Amino acid sequence: KGVSKKYDNGVLALKDVNIKIDKGEFVFIVGESGAGKSTFIKTLLSFIKPLTGSITFGEGLDRNEIGYLPQQTLVQRDFPASVWEIVLSGCQARCGLRPYYNSAEKALAKRNIVKLGLEQLQERCYRDLSGGQQQRVLLARALCATQKLLILDEPVAGLDPKVTQELYNQIAQLNSEGITIVMVSHDLQAALQQATHILHIGQNVFFGTVQDYKTSALGKSFLVTEGGDR
Ligand code: ADP
């Protein structure tokens, strides 16, 4: 409610964002580069503190029950760990102060490896995988943290159209299984097809259903400039 964020360098990255996400929804966050999408996600995740406003979690959702797939940097793409280690590391929040993974956590990691079709790759080094495989690994990792809410920051960036579609299908499948999805994406076509709601961040902010977005002034102009309405 009323979330704004100003960085130390004076950049006002978010101005009065108001949204409400219900269980099972699929929210796409769109907007131009530098509009504040990642800032909003980091604020949602409590990684950074808003200047004004508040974020309230409803009953049945704890702050540490959110799965997060960050935007990947080049350094992260080069991470020298096995697929198994990376997926398992998604269980870290479940460990608390315990310095090892228990058998339930290992079983959970294994289930998510199977779910994302990564069995054949689990001994491989993450940095040797293709971009699409890496994103599937990170999705399996995020699923170890949650069965409730996944927050994904540009999960298809840099992937070719076929692999992008496969990843979208997998995300849609997770949503149909009841996991709430909040996803930053430049892909307006996908947003219009898959989302239940759109959050458009920029000079002006829109939050509402896909249908309302299509008929809003902001939605109409963005769809024309970004070519999402082909
Ligand atoms: P988007 O995800 O929509 O591309 P960001 O949330 O990354 O946008 O950035 C929003 C604005 O805040 C940009 O002007 C960016 O330069 C600025 N910004 C992002 N992170 C920081 C930071 N850590 N310190 C200062 N300015 C930042």
Side-chain angles (χ1 to χ4, degrees):
K1 188 190 278 184
V3 170
S4 305
K5 170 68 191 172
K6 193 182 229 173
Y7 284 108
D8 291 345
N9 60 1
V11 170
L12 185 64
L14 291 174
K15 207 171 96 193
D16 195 25
V17 178
N18 291 284
I19 71 167
K20 178 171 179 290
I21 302 172
D22 282 317
K23 187 170 184 289
E25 288 180 349
F26 194 144
V27 180
F28 261 71
I29 303 181
V30 302
E32 279 159 19
S33 242
K37 302 180 296 297
S38 292
T39 300
F40 182 71
I41 276 187
K42 287 177 194 158
T43 312
L44 258 190
L45 289 157
S46 314
F47 292 168
I48 54 179
K49 261 181 89 164
L51 176 70
T52 64
S54 60
I55 292 159
T56 313
F57 289 84
E59 250 175 61
L61 180 69
D62 205 69
R63 266 170 210 274
N64 63 12
E65 285 181 307
I66 302 175
Y68 173 48
L69 193 157
Q71 230 178 72
Q72 276 214 81
T73 63
L74 282 176
V75 173
Q76 286 161 342
R77 286 193 197 285
D78 212 21
F79 199 68
S82 73
V83 166
W84 168 248
E85 286 167 324
I86 290 189
V87 174
L88 190 58
S89 72
C91 295
Q92 255 164 21
R94 294 173 189 273
C95 293
L97 292 175
R98 176 169 30 85
Y100 58 88
Y101 298 106
N102 65 24
S103 54
E105 287 148 5
K106 287 179 189 162
L108 176 64
K110 183 74 200 173
R111 277 202 303 281
N112 288 327
I113 281 195
V114 172
K115 189 171 210 159
L116 274 294
L118 294 164
E119 300 103 302
Q120 306 300 323
L121 300 176
Q122 68 176 14
E123 305 302 330
R124 295 265 300 274
C125 188
Y126 175 79
R127 66 178 168 204
D128 297 336
L129 303 182
S130 70
Q133 290 169 332
Q134 287 190 339
Q135 291 302 73
R136 268 172 32 226
V137 172
L138 295 184
L139 202 50
R141 177 181 189 274
L143 278 177
C144 286
T146 191
Q147 277 305 303
K148 294 179 180 175
L149 170 62
L150 273 180
I151 298 187
L152 315 170
D153 198 348
E154 300 212 34
V156 300
L159 302 182
D160 69 46
K162 181 166 173 282
V163 177
T164 293
Q165 195 51 51
E166 284 166 8
L167 201 66
Y168 278 147
N169 292 346
Q170 250 152 352
I171 295 167
Q173 173 66 28
L174 297 173
N175 181 240
S176 73
E177 290 169 13
I179 298 181
T180 308
I181 309 279
V182 176
M183 176 158 112
V184 171
S185 175
H186 286 291
D187 192 340
L188 269 180
Q189 293 268 21
L192 297 181
Q193 280 167 19
Q194 299 201 329
T196 58
H197 292 73
I198 304 261
L199 170 63
H200 182 129
I201 296 187
Q203 281 295 89
N204 298 304
V205 175
F206 171 95
F207 178 69
T209 62
V210 172
Q211 207 46 45
D212 287 347
Y213 181 67
K214 278 183 179 172
T215 52
S216 70
L218 189 58
K220 278 185 190 159
S221 67
F222 198 58
L223 288 168
V224 170
T225 54
E226 297 290 312
D229 214 10
R230 282 190 294 259

